[in-house]
Amino acid sequence: MATFIVSTMVLWTFVFHNISTYRDLDRQVAETNAQMMAKAYHEYLLRTIRQIDQAAQLLRNEYAKELGGLNSRSQELFSVLSPDLLFQVAVIGRDGRLAFSNLQRVTDGIDLSDREHFRVHREREGDFLFISKPLLGRVSQKWSIQFTRKIFNDRGEFDGVIVLSIDPYHLGRFSESVSLAGRDVIALLRQDRTLLSRVLGGSYDEQYLGKVVEPRPYMDPHAPDSGVFEVTSYIDGVQRIGGYQKLRPYDLLVVAMVDQEAAFARSRSAALLGYLIGVGGTVLLTLAALATRIAIRTVFREYVTVKAMNAELKAAHEELADAHRALKRREEELVVLAETDPLCRIPNRRRFIAVAESELVRHRRYGRDLSIVVLDIDHFKVVNDTHGHTAGDAVLIGVTRVIRKRLRETDTFARIGGEEFAIVLPETDGGGAFTVAESLRQAVAETLIDLDAGRSATVTISIGIACLDERHTSVSDILNRADKALYSAKGSGRNRTVHGEECGLRM
């Protein structure tokens, strides 16, 4: 009897232990999947929002110049951005009335002073991107989410709002790049719990757009920036395991949730198998003590099976980790490609502006010298027209090689458009920048550049220099002054270097 009792206790202890182990493994896999999806969706939204914000700031600058420029630049953005991302550009004047829309000509301005984004920009200080609740456009008659920035007049006062209307469906298109089970969910919410986008099982779910969901602990402003949770949805009553990521700069929250029932399917099968083993073993032990050896062998075989399944789960978990690392590497590669000129293999304008902003902050903090050089290839159009665009590309590459060899590792050399290049020279005053610029100009002029089919050519460059001073404290100011110096060099006959007055050199 004692042997029977001990054997039965051992059997059921083994069964319950394995059921618990399987459930813990399924939970770990579900939490890992939810966290990885939330992280990937977070990165997707971060890139998308930054792209929209850059477009908003560009259009705001165009509006400050002239309204006609805003209309033409809007058309350019529509041709560059994804067609289902941006469908309306509008301007609300300081009086709250519609001043511009790319969808129709504005004659009698519609009163939009009750819109949330207009009131927020009018009442709050500072320059920031605001993301509205989903709303139905009075002009477009389409559901949209408004990405807005404040417009300032010449005195720095509130002068209206630039509005980019985004289709909410686009914010959920990330689901097309991942595999969602039937009741898996990814969603985007504002900090006030307003639902901006929801995808259920790979299908966009618009019926809850703009609804305010019930509060959860992870929605608290003081909660960590990321984590996992278990919840029963108030929308459909489904129990899910979720992961979240906060986009604090934009007061947004990303949530990815996997169906708990589907996630625990393997552990339920293991539990059923375990119960069958337990019941069968108990029956065998009860029927005859002689069957003890057979029962032990059965248990052992099941143990081997469980061990093999555990190994499969571990391998699957490692595969997920490898996939996550590969995704991370791919994201890093995409960042490099996005910031590198594809022809010359040097930083592009986006990377140049980022480096220049960083260097400007550092040099202003420590009171150090900083210069920016802008150069342009003289008569480049003639090269293209005479020898063809392939030869023009060869000239761009050849000039890039000549200049790169003569710069320091701390200097940033970038192609910022067409045949125009720019250089950030840290720790360099006006005299030093002029010396560097002249050496580059002479080196380019003395270099015979190989084109193709045995042809070669020489080119010259014109250079403009601007330096950091107390009056001009932004990268755009310094670049504008360098451009003016460049135009002066062009107008003075080309193949020369001109510096701004702030560089402390005699003209």
PDB file of all heavy atoms in Angstrom, residues 210-232:
ATOM      1  N   GLY A 210     -11.463  56.577 -32.256  1.00  0.00           N
ATOM      2  CA  GLY A 210     -11.789  57.747 -31.447  1.00  0.00           C
ATOM      3  C   GLY A 210     -12.411  57.440 -30.105  1.00  0.00           C
ATOM      4  O   GLY A 210     -12.651  58.353 -29.323  1.00  0.00           O
ATOM      5  N   LYS A 211     -12.664  56.146 -29.817  1.00  0.00           N
ATOM      6  CA  LYS A 211     -13.231  55.782 -28.519  1.00  0.00           C
ATOM      7  C   LYS A 211     -12.174  55.930 -27.423  1.00  0.00           C
ATOM      8  O   LYS A 211     -10.991  55.752 -27.651  1.00  0.00           O
ATOM      9  CB  LYS A 211     -13.741  54.342 -28.542  1.00  0.00           C
ATOM     10  CG  LYS A 211     -14.806  54.070 -29.600  1.00  0.00           C
ATOM     11  CD  LYS A 211     -16.078  54.845 -29.333  1.00  0.00           C
ATOM     12  CE  LYS A 211     -17.155  54.490 -30.358  1.00  0.00           C
ATOM     13  NZ  LYS A 211     -18.389  55.278 -30.181  1.00  0.00           N
ATOM     14  N   VAL A 212     -12.640  56.238 -26.214  1.00  0.00           N
ATOM     15  CA  VAL A 212     -11.759  56.332 -25.047  1.00  0.00           C
ATOM     16  C   VAL A 212     -11.860  55.027 -24.280  1.00  0.00           C
ATOM     17  O   VAL A 212     -12.941  54.659 -23.805  1.00  0.00           O
ATOM     18  CB  VAL A 212     -12.145  57.515 -24.143  1.00  0.00           C
ATOM     19  CG1 VAL A 212     -11.257  57.557 -22.903  1.00  0.00           C
ATOM     20  CG2 VAL A 212     -12.044  58.820 -24.909  1.00  0.00           C
ATOM     21  N   VAL A 213     -10.761  54.299 -24.180  1.00  0.00           N
ATOM     22  CA  VAL A 213     -10.762  52.991 -23.530  1.00  0.00           C
ATOM     23  C   VAL A 213     -10.640  53.160 -22.022  1.00  0.00           C
ATOM     24  O   VAL A 213     -10.225  54.217 -21.516  1.00  0.00           O
ATOM     25  CB  VAL A 213      -9.623  52.108 -24.068  1.00  0.00           C
ATOM     26  CG1 VAL A 213      -9.734  51.959 -25.567  1.00  0.00           C
ATOM     27  CG2 VAL A 213      -8.260  52.684 -23.706  1.00  0.00           C
ATOM     28  N   GLU A 214     -11.013  52.113 -21.298  1.00  0.00           N
ATOM     29  CA  GLU A 214     -10.944  52.192 -19.845  1.00  0.00           C
ATOM     30  C   GLU A 214      -9.490  52.195 -19.390  1.00  0.00           C
ATOM     31  O   GLU A 214      -8.613  51.660 -20.068  1.00  0.00           O
ATOM     32  CB  GLU A 214     -11.690  51.009 -19.227  1.00  0.00           C
ATOM     33  CG  GLU A 214     -11.101  49.642 -19.556  1.00  0.00           C
ATOM     34  CD  GLU A 214     -11.924  48.511 -18.967  1.00  0.00           C
ATOM     35  OE1 GLU A 214     -13.117  48.734 -18.688  1.00  0.00           O
ATOM     36  OE2 GLU A 214     -11.370  47.434 -18.790  1.00  0.00           O
ATOM     37  N   PRO A 215      -9.212  52.823 -18.244  1.00  0.00           N
ATOM     38  CA  PRO A 215      -7.811  52.959 -17.802  1.00  0.00           C
ATOM     39  C   PRO A 215      -7.198  51.621 -17.418  1.00  0.00           C
ATOM     40  O   PRO A 215      -7.867  50.725 -16.909  1.00  0.00           O
ATOM     41  CB  PRO A 215      -7.916  53.895 -16.585  1.00  0.00           C
ATOM     42  CG  PRO A 215      -9.329  53.745 -16.111  1.00  0.00           C
ATOM     43  CD  PRO A 215     -10.161  53.489 -17.331  1.00  0.00           C
ATOM     44  N   ARG A 216      -5.907  51.480 -17.704  1.00  0.00           N
ATOM     45  CA  ARG A 216      -5.112  50.319 -17.311  1.00  0.00           C
ATOM     46  C   ARG A 216      -3.854  50.825 -16.603  1.00  0.00           C
ATOM     47  O   ARG A 216      -3.396  51.945 -16.853  1.00  0.00           O
ATOM     48  CB  ARG A 216      -4.705  49.495 -18.537  1.00  0.00           C
ATOM     49  CG  ARG A 216      -5.866  49.020 -19.406  1.00  0.00           C
ATOM     50  CD  ARG A 216      -6.664  47.925 -18.760  1.00  0.00           C
ATOM     51  NE  ARG A 216      -7.649  47.358 -19.686  1.00  0.00           N
ATOM     52  CZ  ARG A 216      -8.548  46.447 -19.345  1.00  0.00           C
ATOM     53  NH1 ARG A 216      -8.573  46.004 -18.095  1.00  0.00           N
ATOM     54  NH2 ARG A 216      -9.412  45.992 -20.237  1.00  0.00           N
ATOM     55  N   PRO A 217      -3.254  49.999 -15.748  1.00  0.00           N
ATOM     56  CA  PRO A 217      -2.055  50.460 -15.024  1.00  0.00           C
ATOM     57  C   PRO A 217      -0.941  50.930 -15.943  1.00  0.00           C
ATOM     58  O   PRO A 217      -0.250  51.899 -15.651  1.00  0.00           O
ATOM     59  CB  PRO A 217      -1.644  49.223 -14.221  1.00  0.00           C
ATOM     60  CG  PRO A 217      -2.924  48.467 -14.016  1.00  0.00           C
ATOM     61  CD  PRO A 217      -3.718  48.686 -15.262  1.00  0.00           C
ATOM     62  N   TYR A 218      -0.733  50.238 -17.080  1.00  0.00           N
ATOM     63  CA  TYR A 218       0.368  50.621 -17.956  1.00  0.00           C
ATOM     64  C   TYR A 218       0.115  51.948 -18.673  1.00  0.00           C
ATOM     65  O   TYR A 218       1.028  52.514 -19.282  1.00  0.00           O
ATOM     66  CB  TYR A 218       0.655  49.523 -18.983  1.00  0.00           C
ATOM     67  CG  TYR A 218      -0.498  49.190 -19.905  1.00  0.00           C
ATOM     68  CD1 TYR A 218      -0.727  49.921 -21.063  1.00  0.00           C
ATOM     69  CD2 TYR A 218      -1.352  48.131 -19.619  1.00  0.00           C
ATOM     70  CE1 TYR A 218      -1.789  49.607 -21.901  1.00  0.00           C
ATOM     71  CE2 TYR A 218      -2.414  47.814 -20.459  1.00  0.00           C
ATOM     72  CZ  TYR A 218      -2.625  48.548 -21.590  1.00  0.00           C
ATOM     73  OH  TYR A 218      -3.658  48.230 -22.429  1.00  0.00           O
ATOM     74  N   MET A 219      -1.135  52.452 -18.625  1.00  0.00           N
ATOM     75  CA  MET A 219      -1.442  53.742 -19.255  1.00  0.00           C
ATOM     76  C   MET A 219      -1.101  54.917 -18.349  1.00  0.00           C
ATOM     77  O   MET A 219      -1.114  56.067 -18.793  1.00  0.00           O
ATOM     78  CB  MET A 219      -2.929  53.803 -19.617  1.00  0.00           C
ATOM     79  CG  MET A 219      -3.368  52.767 -20.631  1.00  0.00           C
ATOM     80  SD  MET A 219      -5.153  52.878 -20.940  1.00  0.00           S
ATOM     81  CE  MET A 219      -5.376  51.508 -22.091  1.00  0.00           C
ATOM     82  N   ASP A 220      -0.803  54.648 -17.093  1.00  0.00           N
ATOM     83  CA  ASP A 220      -0.456  55.713 -16.153  1.00  0.00           C
ATOM     84  C   ASP A 220       0.797  56.455 -16.639  1.00  0.00           C
ATOM     85  O   ASP A 220       1.762  55.827 -17.066  1.00  0.00           O
ATOM     86  CB  ASP A 220      -0.204  55.114 -14.767  1.00  0.00           C
ATOM     87  CG  ASP A 220      -0.098  56.204 -13.702  1.00  0.00           C
ATOM     88  OD1 ASP A 220       0.921  56.926 -13.696  1.00  0.00           O
ATOM     89  OD2 ASP A 220      -1.015  56.318 -12.898  1.00  0.00           O
ATOM     90  N   PRO A 221       0.792  57.792 -16.594  1.00  0.00           N
ATOM     91  CA  PRO A 221       1.981  58.553 -17.054  1.00  0.00           C
ATOM     92  C   PRO A 221       3.256  58.188 -16.321  1.00  0.00           C
ATOM     93  O   PRO A 221       4.350  58.341 -16.866  1.00  0.00           O
ATOM     94  CB  PRO A 221       1.582  60.013 -16.787  1.00  0.00           C
ATOM     95  CG  PRO A 221       0.087  60.014 -16.751  1.00  0.00           C
ATOM     96  CD  PRO A 221      -0.307  58.683 -16.182  1.00  0.00           C
ATOM     97  N   HIS A 222       3.142  57.679 -15.096  1.00  0.00           N
ATOM     98  CA  HIS A 222       4.325  57.334 -14.316  1.00  0.00           C
ATOM     99  C   HIS A 222       4.750  55.879 -14.515  1.00  0.00           C
ATOM    100  O   HIS A 222       5.732  55.443 -13.920  1.00  0.00           O
ATOM    101  CB  HIS A 222       4.061  57.595 -12.834  1.00  0.00           C
ATOM    102  CG  HIS A 222       3.693  59.014 -12.526  1.00  0.00           C
ATOM    103  ND1 HIS A 222       4.583  60.066 -12.674  1.00  0.00           N
ATOM    104  CD2 HIS A 222       2.521  59.570 -12.110  1.00  0.00           C
ATOM    105  CE1 HIS A 222       3.984  61.198 -12.342  1.00  0.00           C
ATOM    106  NE2 HIS A 222       2.725  60.932 -12.001  1.00  0.00           N
ATOM    107  N   ALA A 223       4.003  55.118 -15.318  1.00  0.00           N
ATOM    108  CA  ALA A 223       4.372  53.726 -15.586  1.00  0.00           C
ATOM    109  C   ALA A 223       5.650  53.688 -16.431  1.00  0.00           C
ATOM    110  O   ALA A 223       5.986  54.656 -17.126  1.00  0.00           O
ATOM    111  CB  ALA A 223       3.241  53.013 -16.316  1.00  0.00           C
ATOM    112  N   PRO A 224       6.416  52.568 -16.386  1.00  0.00           N
ATOM    113  CA  PRO A 224       7.633  52.457 -17.211  1.00  0.00           C
ATOM    114  C   PRO A 224       7.323  52.642 -18.695  1.00  0.00           C
ATOM    115  O   PRO A 224       6.173  52.508 -19.129  1.00  0.00           O
ATOM    116  CB  PRO A 224       8.128  51.024 -16.907  1.00  0.00           C
ATOM    117  CG  PRO A 224       7.520  50.680 -15.589  1.00  0.00           C
ATOM    118  CD  PRO A 224       6.200  51.385 -15.531  1.00  0.00           C
ATOM    119  N   ASP A 225       8.366  52.918 -19.479  1.00  0.00           N
ATOM    120  CA  ASP A 225       8.191  53.169 -20.915  1.00  0.00           C
ATOM    121  C   ASP A 225       7.823  51.917 -21.686  1.00  0.00           C
ATOM    122  O   ASP A 225       7.338  52.010 -22.817  1.00  0.00           O
ATOM    123  CB  ASP A 225       9.473  53.780 -21.509  1.00  0.00           C
ATOM    124  CG  ASP A 225       9.643  55.229 -21.099  1.00  0.00           C
ATOM    125  OD1 ASP A 225       8.700  55.810 -20.541  1.00  0.00           O
ATOM    126  OD2 ASP A 225      10.719  55.780 -21.345  1.00  0.00           O
ATOM    127  N   SER A 226       8.062  50.731 -21.143  1.00  0.00           N
ATOM    128  CA  SER A 226       7.715  49.490 -21.830  1.00  0.00           C
ATOM    129  C   SER A 226       7.459  48.412 -20.788  1.00  0.00           C
ATOM    130  O   SER A 226       7.873  48.529 -19.634  1.00  0.00           O
ATOM    131  CB  SER A 226       8.837  49.056 -22.787  1.00  0.00           C
ATOM    132  OG  SER A 226      10.024  48.769 -22.072  1.00  0.00           O
ATOM    133  N   GLY A 227       6.757  47.363 -21.217  1.00  0.00           N
ATOM    134  CA  GLY A 227       6.484  46.273 -20.297  1.00  0.00           C
ATOM    135  C   GLY A 227       5.474  45.306 -20.878  1.00  0.00           C
ATOM    136  O   GLY A 227       5.094  45.394 -22.055  1.00  0.00           O
ATOM    137  N   VAL A 228       5.045  44.333 -20.059  1.00  0.00           N
ATOM    138  CA  VAL A 228       4.052  43.339 -20.467  1.00  0.00           C
ATOM    139  C   VAL A 228       2.903  43.362 -19.466  1.00  0.00           C
ATOM    140  O   VAL A 228       3.043  43.835 -18.337  1.00  0.00           O
ATOM    141  CB  VAL A 228       4.668  41.932 -20.549  1.00  0.00           C
ATOM    142  CG1 VAL A 228       5.711  41.865 -21.642  1.00  0.00           C
ATOM    143  CG2 VAL A 228       5.275  41.526 -19.216  1.00  0.00           C
ATOM    144  N   PHE A 229       1.758  42.827 -19.905  1.00  0.00           N
ATOM    145  CA  PHE A 229       0.583  42.810 -19.041  1.00  0.00           C
ATOM    146  C   PHE A 229      -0.359  41.703 -19.509  1.00  0.00           C
ATOM    147  O   PHE A 229      -0.220  41.156 -20.602  1.00  0.00           O
ATOM    148  CB  PHE A 229      -0.133  44.157 -19.071  1.00  0.00           C
ATOM    149  CG  PHE A 229      -0.584  44.568 -20.451  1.00  0.00           C
ATOM    150  CD1 PHE A 229      -1.832  44.225 -20.942  1.00  0.00           C
ATOM    151  CD2 PHE A 229       0.268  45.291 -21.283  1.00  0.00           C
ATOM    152  CE1 PHE A 229      -2.242  44.591 -22.201  1.00  0.00           C
ATOM    153  CE2 PHE A 229      -0.134  45.668 -22.553  1.00  0.00           C
ATOM    154  CZ  PHE A 229      -1.391  45.310 -23.015  1.00  0.00           C
ATOM    155  N   GLU A 230      -1.324  41.368 -18.672  1.00  0.00           N
ATOM    156  CA  GLU A 230      -2.369  40.412 -18.997  1.00  0.00           C
ATOM    157  C   GLU A 230      -3.696  41.092 -18.752  1.00  0.00           C
ATOM    158  O   GLU A 230      -3.903  41.709 -17.697  1.00  0.00           O
ATOM    159  CB  GLU A 230      -2.233  39.153 -18.144  1.00  0.00           C
ATOM    160  CG  GLU A 230      -3.205  38.046 -18.524  1.00  0.00           C
ATOM    161  CD  GLU A 230      -2.902  36.753 -17.786  1.00  0.00           C
ATOM    162  OE1 GLU A 230      -1.751  36.598 -17.338  1.00  0.00           O
ATOM    163  OE2 GLU A 230      -3.814  35.915 -17.646  1.00  0.00           O
ATOM    164  N   VAL A 231      -4.624  41.012 -19.715  1.00  0.00           N
ATOM    165  CA  VAL A 231      -5.838  41.810 -19.621  1.00  0.00           C
ATOM    166  C   VAL A 231      -6.983  41.097 -20.333  1.00  0.00           C
ATOM    167  O   VAL A 231      -6.776  40.311 -21.262  1.00  0.00           O
ATOM    168  CB  VAL A 231      -5.605  43.203 -20.254  1.00  0.00           C
ATOM    169  CG1 VAL A 231      -5.417  43.095 -21.753  1.00  0.00           C
ATOM    170  CG2 VAL A 231      -6.747  44.159 -19.929  1.00  0.00           C
ATOM    171  N   THR A 232      -8.199  41.365 -19.860  1.00  0.00           N
ATOM    172  CA  THR A 232      -9.417  40.956 -20.556  1.00  0.00           C
ATOM    173  C   THR A 232      -9.991  42.186 -21.236  1.00  0.00           C
ATOM    174  O   THR A 232     -10.312  43.180 -20.583  1.00  0.00           O
ATOM    175  CB  THR A 232     -10.446  40.371 -19.577  1.00  0.00           C
ATOM    176  OG1 THR A 232      -9.889  39.226 -18.938  1.00  0.00           O
ATOM    177  CG2 THR A 232     -11.710  39.956 -20.315  1.00  0.00           C
TER     178      THR A 232
END
